[in-house]
Amino acid sequence: MFSPRAFDEKDLQWLDHLLERNAFVTLLTTGDDGLPEISRIPVLYRRQGQQIELLGHWARSNPQAQRHGIAKVLVDGPHGYVSASWYPDKLHIARVPTWDYATAELRGQLQPFNDPNALVELVSALSNRFEASVGQDWRFEPERDDHLRQLRGIVGFRFTVEHTQITLKLSQNHPEPNQLAVIAHLERLATPESHELAQWMRRLRDKAADGD
């Protein structure tokens, strides 16, 4: 993924934020025809210091469930259009519209698994994680035969991250008046997406001001 140097971010806390807000990722492998295979899939995210892994599962019928080895994962963050008319210095400097965004690309090793005990643990952890996010309490019950039979239709995977590329393009390359103006205009727009993007811009500015 192309990432201009000015927007490259090394702090893995931003990856924590990205996967906390949206654990529905894009998993890419290479098919037999040399073209990308793509799955959109929810994952569990685990990080201990620099060590990162993602866990998830495919439908067994998904061709990607036969893949192992090198793969990529794309993580979506907030994004939105920025009008050049928002910049206070637009009359003195030729400004153009742009798109601000936060995202990450992870490269690493993909390892499928079919072990029933591991699948029970995975499905239970996924349901616990996402049921809580919607205020519900459905759970996978391995003591039920009808629940266990469902495992025949899936293949689990573990994705061990070897390289992380985080891109935060949040107007930080602009002078402060422009940054503040973009935040103000985004906050005036009546969409949750624009408000979230403004919040991320404020968070990045606060972090820079704190010196970390």
Side-chain angles (χ1 to χ4, degrees), residues 23 42-46 55-57 118-142 147 151 154:
V43 294
L44 293 173
Y45 169 62
R46 295 175 178 172
L55 295 164
H57 64 77
L119 288 174
V120 166
E121 182 179 345
L122 170 63
V123 173
S124 296
L126 281 167
S127 60
N128 291 342
R129 160 73 170 83
F130 294 111
E131 283 289 308
S133 72
V134 296
Q136 297 299 309
D137 59 1
W138 181 92
R139 67 183 184 89
F140 182 79
E141 300 176 58
H147 277 201
L151 298 181
I154 65 173

Side-chain angles (χ1 to χ4, degrees), residues 92-211:
H92 308 291
I93 299 176
R95 297 294 188 186
V96 294
T98 191
W99 204 278
D100 276 3
Y101 60 90
T103 188
E105 177 193 298
L106 310 177
R107 282 178 279 172
Q109 297 294 321
L110 189 62
Q111 179 185 356
F113 59 85
N114 289 285
D115 176 70
N117 291 330
L119 288 174
V120 166
E121 182 179 345
L122 170 63
V123 173
S124 296
L126 281 167
S127 60
N128 291 342
R129 160 73 170 83
F130 294 111
E131 283 289 308
S133 72
V134 296
Q136 297 299 309
D137 59 1
W138 181 92
R139 67 183 184 89
F140 182 79
E141 300 176 58
E143 65 274 12
R144 289 178 51 169
D145 288 342
D146 56 346
H147 277 201
L148 281 177
R149 283 195 295 272
Q150 300 297 321
L151 298 181
R152 299 173 189 167
I154 65 173
V155 174
F157 69 81
R158 177 176 291 101
F159 179 71
T160 304
V161 177
E162 298 176 332
H163 177 76
T164 302
Q165 180 183 321
I166 303 168
T167 304
L168 302 179
K169 182 179 179 294
L170 299 174
S171 295
Q172 67 267 44
N173 58 323
H174 275 263
E176 183 175 35
N178 283 8
Q179 295 179 37
L180 295 176
V182 170
I183 291 171
H185 280 279
L186 287 171
E187 290 177 339
R188 281 199 285 272
L189 295 176
T191 66
E193 295 81 9
S194 64
H195 292 177
E196 184 186 21
L197 184 59
Q199 289 170 0
W200 276 62
M201 293 178 69
R202 287 193 182 279
R203 181 184 289 175
L204 182 62
R205 283 177 48 80
D206 291 345
K207 198 165 183 63
D210 290 341

